[in-house]
Amino acid sequence: DSPFATIRVAGARQTRRGSAPPGPTFTPARGKLLNPVITHLSRMISRHLLPILLLLSSPIMADSFFSWPFSGNKSTPAEQADEQPEAQQETTIADPVPEQSERIGQPAPNWTPTPAPLSYDSLWDRMRDNFAIPNLDSALVREWEQYYAARPEQLYRISERGKRYMYHVVDELEKRSMPLDLALLPMIESAYNPRAYSPAHASGIWQFIPSTGKNYGLEQTWWYDGRRDVLAATEAALDYLNYLYGLFGDWHLALASYNWGEGAVSRALAKNRAKGLPEDYSNIGLPNETLNYVPKLLAVRNLIANPEAWGIRLPDIPNRPYFSVVTAPHHMDTQVAAKLAGMSVDEFVNLNPA
């Protein structure tokens, strides 16, 4: 029943494919996860702090846990790669970053989460009641529904891995009044594997390529890759998705842009406009990967919305935090930190993959 911990190093945000962040760049108060190369921690910049993520396996709070040396603290991609059709294996490099003058501010929320988050026992139920991205009447959606329904063990494994991080993603989405369907996007991007790495050098659960990660403040050094930092990368990904929705006013187009780049989607819309054709996701010309990208997400969303109808079983995910964050006063060896936290080194690294 003892809480588990993870160590993080203070740093900035990052993002995936496409553009610079909306508005001024800033460094979040939260830090980055502990670099796996423990033997080189002593060489890290002394100004970095080391927040610690505590796995909350019981109602114990972080304050009561830290009676040990932190006296100053009061306070791959995984399964889909080997089973998905060839379309998913293609990789597209982001288009050039648009000028700052093209940016559109954060859109007014178009939905309201209800009921209050803490009224749910299951995180799945909380998500289901706040799914908000419109479905597509598409043969591709139906094909991917059948694909995932025929592989229930794959969906179970991805969900089991993602339960470490999913509450945090859902919580951050709800704070921004963004659809909770987006908490399933890392299932499509990385199978919720924070160490997933693509041939295009995209990394982390949100699969940021290096350039987009830097545009959104995700530091990438020899010791630390913020794209793998679940907290920093989630903040950057939601900033990027929110910007894309403000740009296009449509979640299908925003998601296509996250995969293909907003410049490419804008050009595809302009071509249809010039020809007098509909300007929506279903009618613009898309590469094969992007054409399947949104249908995959919607298919997984539809199965999770009604698993009994599809005959699939999902792991239980309680509607409570899996970890908490505190700040450590100095660097610490991974094995020592894991031992003090009362958890295995493997679990410690899973919570600190950066």
Side-chain angles (χ1 to χ4, degrees):
D1 292 332
S2 59
F4 296 150
T6 7
I7 295 191
R8 306 170 33 81
V9 182
R13 308 181 292 167
Q14 292 187 355
T15 244
R16 181 180 181 271
R17 310 179 170 89
S19 72
T25 302
F26 65 93
T27 301
R30 285 193 294 264
K32 307 172 183 175
L33 301 186
L34 180 66
N35 191 295
V37 188
I38 299 304
T39 58
H40 295 277
L41 278 177
S42 61
R43 289 190 280 175
M44 297 188 68
I45 301 173
S46 60
R47 63 182 174 82
H48 287 346
L49 300 177
L50 296 176
I52 295 185
L53 300 182
L54 293 185
L55 175 62
L56 300 181
S57 59
S58 72
I60 295 179
M61 299 305 293
D63 287 349
S64 60
F65 176 73
F66 273 88
S67 56
W68 39 280
F70 299 140
S71 57
N73 289 309
K74 295 192 176 180
S75 34
T76 199
E79 281 74 7
Q80 292 191 11
D82 56 354
E83 295 192 32
Q84 288 180 179
E86 294 180 0
Q88 179 64 5
Q89 307 304 317
E90 301 174 8
T91 307
T92 306
I93 302 299
D95 289 273
V97 177
E99 294 296 327
Q100 188 72 19
S101 60
E102 297 179 15
R103 306 201 172 261
I104 297 177
Q106 179 172 332
N110 62 349
W111 71 305
T112 302
T114 181
L118 295 180
S119 65
Y120 296 97
D121 293 326
S122 167
L123 188 64
W124 293 124
D125 289 340
R126 178 180 172 186
M127 293 169 65
R128 290 183 187 112
D129 282 355
N130 292 282
F131 285 160
I133 296 178
N135 204 15
L136 286 173
D137 184 12
S138 163
L140 282 174
V141 174
R142 292 186 284 274
E143 288 176 18
W144 283 107
E145 286 173 344
Q146 295 298 326
Y147 175 88
Y148 288 115
R151 296 163 176 79
E153 72 288 343
Q154 179 181 353
L155 195 57
Y156 188 95
R157 282 197 304 270
I158 295 172
S159 302
E160 184 70 22
R161 183 187 301 119
K163 72 180 183 181
R164 295 183 179 94
Y165 322 112
M166 208 176 293
Y167 178 93
H168 173 74
V169 174
V170 167
D171 219 37
E172 291 301 307
L173 284 166
E174 220 161 38
K175 288 176 184 176
R176 301 163 182 249
S177 292
M178 297 173 72
L180 298 194
D181 319 52
L182 297 174
L184 306 176
L185 191 58
M187 290 185 170
I188 309 304
E189 285 287 347
S190 64
Y192 256 115
N193 180 0
R195 287 179 289 278
Y197 193 80
S198 80
H201 310 296
S203 185
I205 65 171
W206 295 100
Q207 288 291 280
F208 281 113
I209 61 172
S211 58
T212 312
K214 290 178 181 177
N215 287 341
Y216 279 80
L218 294 176
E219 183 183 353
Q220 298 157 63
T221 68
W222 193 88
W223 300 281
Y224 170 82
D225 188 344
R227 298 175 299 164
R228 295 183 177 185
D229 182 323
V230 174
L231 271 65
T234 295
E235 182 177 8
L238 301 194
D239 281 352
Y240 187 29
L241 286 164
N242 205 37
Y243 158 68
L244 292 171
Y245 180 73
L247 188 63
F248 296 105
D250 178 279
W251 279 115
H252 299 148
L253 293 175
L255 288 163
S257 300
Y258 188 83
N259 178 256
W260 192 24
E262 66 263 38
V265 171
S266 296
R267 289 191 293 273
L269 289 169
K271 287 180 181 179
N272 275 31
R273 188 180 309 121
K275 297 175 181 179
L277 299 174
E279 299 176 48
D280 56 32
Y281 176 86
S282 299
N283 288 282
I284 61 174
L286 297 168
N288 200 27
E289 179 185 344
T290 309
L291 189 64
N292 284 272
Y293 185 74
V294 175
K296 284 181 184 180
L297 175 64
L298 295 177
V300 169
R301 189 275 308 275
N302 294 343
L303 265 63
I304 289 176
N306 193 0
E308 295 82 7
W310 291 96
I312 63 174
R313 184 172 67 92
L314 298 171
D316 293 332
I317 304 183
N319 183 37
R320 62 173 180 265
Y322 193 89
F323 57 79
S324 183
V325 183
V326 297
T327 302
H330 52 73
H331 302 293
M332 180 177 293
D333 180 84
T334 300
Q335 293 186 355
V336 173
K339 182 177 180 180
L340 290 171
M343 64 193 298
S344 69
V345 173
D346 285 345
E347 179 68 357
F348 186 89
V349 173
N350 283 330
L351 291 173
N352 293 275

